[in-house]
Amino acid sequence: MQQLTTTVGFLAAYLYCVSGFTQTPLLNTKSIAKITTGCKAEATTNNVLDSFVSMINNNNGNVSNNNKKFLMAQSLVLSLINDEQCYSTVEGAQAFAEACAVDIVYEDRFEPQPIVGRAAVAEHLKFRALARSKNGSAGFRVDKISDGNTACGFAWTWTSNNSLEGLRGTTFVELNSNNQIQFVREIPEPLYKPGDLIIEVLKAATADATPKPPPNYISKTPKKANEIAKYLFNDVQGADPEEAMRFFDESIVYRDFNYEDVLNGKAEVKKFIEDFSFPGITFATQRFDDGVKATCFTWEVVLEGAPSAIKGISFYEIDTDTGLITYVRDVPESGIKPPPLGKIARQFRPALGVFQPVAFGSRKGGL
C-alpha cells in the first residue's frame, strides 16, 4: 500500500526456494536444517538444528556448482512449518522454540502483550496447538512466502482435515547474526471487516490535523521487491500518487483485510490509495525482509495527536520480468486484544478460528 500499500526437510527447503513460488513444496523429508548464507552452517546450542549441520556443510559443493543460493530465513521457516508442524503440534511448537534466540520477541498481535523469551514462546505455541487440536485435526498452510535470507514473511491459512479452511493472516520472521529467530510479528485477519467505515473513522480522528507539504523525492525505479516497498513507503508516501501507481501491474490483486472483497486492477487500487491520502495519517515502516521476488514488512499507522499506533504487516509480490507489483496483502491488528469476535470464534471452532469456514482450496492463494 503506498498509503495502506503497504522444511519440510533440508532438500524440501532447497527445492522450494529454487523453484519459485509454488503452493506445495516439491519434497517432504523429515528434517530441520540450520541454513546460512552461502549454505555454510554452524553448530549452535539448539539440538533441533545441530543434527543437520554436517549434512548442510557436506552439500555446499553441490549447491555452488549448480549456482543455487539457499535462502536461510525462508528455508528455516518452511522446515519448521511443513516438516515440524510448529503451528499445529506440541512437538512442533517445541522445535520452533529451539530455533529461537534466548531473548526472542514474539508479537502475536492477537494477544495483549508480546511474548518474550524462548521458554515463553514454547509455552504460548504449545498452548495454541493443544487448543486447536482439541476437536479435530488442525492444519496450517503457507499460501505465499517471500524469498528472504535474513528475514522473510508468509501469508497463511488455518485448515482442518484437508477439507475446510478458516482464519488467514500474515507473519514476519527475522533472524539474528547466529541465524536464530529473534523477532516475530504475527497478525490474523480481523473477523469484523469495517470496509469504507474505517476511512471515516480515521478522518474523524485526524480532523484537526494540519496539512503538510508533499515530500521531495528523487524518482527511482527499483527492481527488487523489498526495494520497491521501501521506495513507496519511505520516499514517495504523501507525494504524487501517480509515482506510486506506476509500480502496480494492470492485473494487480490487492487484499486489504479491512475489506471483505479484494481489489482487482489498477483503477480500484488507485482509488483505494487516494481514499487513504489525507492529512494526519502516516504509515511508518518498521522492519523489512530482503526478499527479491516477494517481500514482507511491518509498519504502524501513526495518527496525529493519537496516543498510540495500530501495527500491521504487508506482503508484496512482483513480476520479476516487469518489476511491477502483482499481489498485495495488508493486515492490521485489532485495537482490542484479544479481539472479542476472534476469541469467541477460536472457542467455537478452535481448529479453524472462524465462524463460517469455507471448502479447502476454494480461496486461491488464501484470498
Side-chain angles (χ1 to χ4, degrees):
M1 2 178 242
Q2 209 272 45
Q3 286 277 343
L4 266 180
T5 304
T6 59
T7 14
V8 298
F10 165 78
L11 293 176
Y14 168 71
L15 289 173
Y16 192 106
C17 294
V18 302
S19 62
F21 294 100
T22 59
Q23 294 295 321
T24 305
L26 304 180
L27 182 65
N28 184 23
T29 57
K30 240 347 217 179
S31 64
I32 181 169
K34 178 79 168 185
I35 304 170
T36 64
T37 305
C39 309
K40 178 66 176 176
E42 297 180 0
T44 72
T45 57
N46 298 331
N47 293 333
V48 72
L49 301 177
D50 289 345
S51 60
F52 285 89
V53 166
S54 60
M55 181 178 71
I56 297 167
N57 291 334
N58 289 337
N59 279 272
N60 281 349
N62 293 335
V63 173
S64 298
N65 291 338
N66 293 328
N67 196 31
K68 304 298 186 182
K69 179 183 178 182
F70 278 89
L71 300 170
M72 187 271 297
Q74 185 199 61
S75 299
L76 178 58
V77 165
L78 286 172
S79 182
L80 289 167
I81 294 173
N82 293 339
D83 187 40
E84 300 300 324
Q85 299 180 347
C86 64
Y87 288 123
S88 53
T89 69
V90 170
E91 297 80 6
Q94 182 61 40
F96 186 98
E98 290 176 2
C100 292
V102 174
D103 57 351
I104 169 73
V105 176
Y106 196 119
E107 290 187 358
D108 181 347
R109 304 307 298 182
F110 186 85
E111 303 294 339
Q113 299 295 331
I115 298 95
V116 180
R118 186 186 293 162
V121 168
E123 181 180 357
H124 174 69
L125 294 181
K126 287 177 182 179
F127 178 84
R128 190 167 65 184
L130 284 171
R132 289 196 62 214
S133 60
K134 182 165 50 179
N135 296 329
S137 176
F140 186 96
R141 187 181 69 213
V142 175
D143 296 311
K144 292 179 181 289
I145 187 167
S146 65
D147 53 336
N149 185 54
T150 61
C152 75
F154 54 96
W156 49 264
T157 299
W158 283 10
T159 65
S160 179
N161 294 315
N162 287 333
S163 61
L164 294 172
E165 59 183 66
L167 190 69
R168 298 161 293 181
T170 307
T171 299
F172 176 90
V173 177
E174 183 180 79
L175 309 183
N176 64 17
S177 59
N178 293 321
N179 297 319
Q180 298 170 315
I181 299 172
Q182 69 174 2
F183 175 82
V184 176
R185 176 177 292 178
E186 169 190 306
I187 306 183
E189 66 175 306
L191 298 192
Y192 171 67
K193 298 174 173 62
D196 284 342
L197 178 62
I198 190 65
I199 300 174
E200 302 308 314
V201 171
L202 293 175
K203 285 183 175 179
T206 57
D208 297 328
T210 303
K212 298 179 181 178
N216 295 320
Y217 66 93
I218 298 174
S219 182
K220 304 174 186 176
T221 307
K223 294 297 184 181
K224 296 179 180 179
N226 76 87
E227 293 175 354
I228 292 171
K230 290 174 184 175
Y231 177 65
L232 292 179
F233 272 86
N234 297 342
D235 294 2
V236 179
Q237 182 181 177
D240 183 5
E242 293 298 330
E243 176 66 10
M245 290 309 304
R246 72 182 179 92
F247 286 90
F248 289 92
D249 190 87
E250 289 292 343
S251 60
I252 174 70
V253 175
Y254 198 119
R255 156 63 73 189
D256 184 286
F257 277 120
N258 282 307
Y259 293 82
E260 291 288 350
D261 299 322
V262 299
L263 303 172
N264 290 287
K266 286 183 72 171
E268 291 187 8
V269 172
K270 181 179 180 181
K271 181 180 183 301
F272 175 77
I273 292 174
E274 291 174 344
D275 286 345
F276 281 89
S277 299
F278 49 85
I281 183 171
T282 302
F283 292 84
T285 59
Q286 296 175 304
R287 299 172 189 251
F288 286 88
D289 70 13
D290 53 350
V292 175
K293 298 177 182 179
T295 189
C296 190
F297 56 99
T298 67
W299 43 266
E300 60 182 9
V301 181
V302 180
L303 301 178
E304 187 174 312
S308 60
I310 296 295
K311 291 177 170 54
I313 308 176
S314 287
F315 184 100
Y316 280 32
E317 189 173 88
I318 69 169
D319 181 327
T320 54
D321 291 332
T322 63
L324 298 179
I325 303 164
T326 57
Y327 176 84
V328 173
R329 175 186 277 197
D330 295 332
V331 56
E333 68 176 346
S334 171
I336 302 173
K337 298 180 184 65
L341 286 179
K343 182 178 180 180
I344 296 171
R346 293 190 188 195
Q347 294 169 341
F348 179 61
R349 293 186 185 273
L352 293 162
V354 296
F355 294 106
Q356 295 182 310
V358 299
F360 185 85
S362 62
R363 300 182 296 205
K364 184 178 178 181
L367 289 178

